[in-house]
Amino acid sequence: MIGNLKPLEIVLIIAVILLLFGAKKLPDMARSLGKSARILKSEAKAMKKDDEPAAPTTETLAEPAPQPTATRTIQAAPGDVTSARPVSDAKPTTHS
């Protein structure tokens, strides 16, 4: 559906967005969208990295290493330290 838009329709949509949100808020909205995309990308990489099995070495075959107990945190965008928060490993429960 988006591929069927003509240039005039795109200009009209942009004009409506400018009228609704104002020109001053659009850069802030784009900036926050970029931060969200970076956080999502880094979390997806971290989840993929957690799912990969570790290659066994002679040290791990001889005796298992103790698991680290440090809490993981969701990393914020560079310079934004207010939105970092701890990640719990607890599974959400569903109520019937």
Side-chain angles (χ1 to χ4, degrees):
M1 179 172 170
I2 293 176
N4 296 338
L5 293 178
K6 298 176 184 161
L8 183 61
E9 294 170 342
I10 294 173
V11 170
L12 183 63
I13 291 171
I14 291 172
V16 168
I17 290 173
L18 279 173
L19 287 174
L20 288 176
F21 297 108
K24 291 182 181 180
K25 290 200 177 211
L26 286 179
D28 292 334
M29 291 171 56
R31 194 173 300 117
S32 65
L33 182 65
K35 284 181 184 179
S36 299
R38 280 193 299 268
I39 291 170
L40 180 66
K41 184 177 179 182
S42 67
E43 286 301 311
K45 282 184 181 180
M47 289 176 66
K48 186 181 253 188
K49 185 179 175 184
D50 287 345
D51 288 341
E52 292 177 359
T57 61
T58 57
E59 188 176 295
T60 58
L61 293 176
E63 131 184 3
Q67 296 292 331
T69 58
T71 60
R72 293 179 22 206
T73 58
I74 294 177
Q75 296 298 320
D80 183 19
V81 294
T82 59
S83 63
R85 61 187 186 278
V87 177
S88 66
D89 289 329
K91 303 282 185 208
T93 59
T94 58
H95 300 303
S96 316

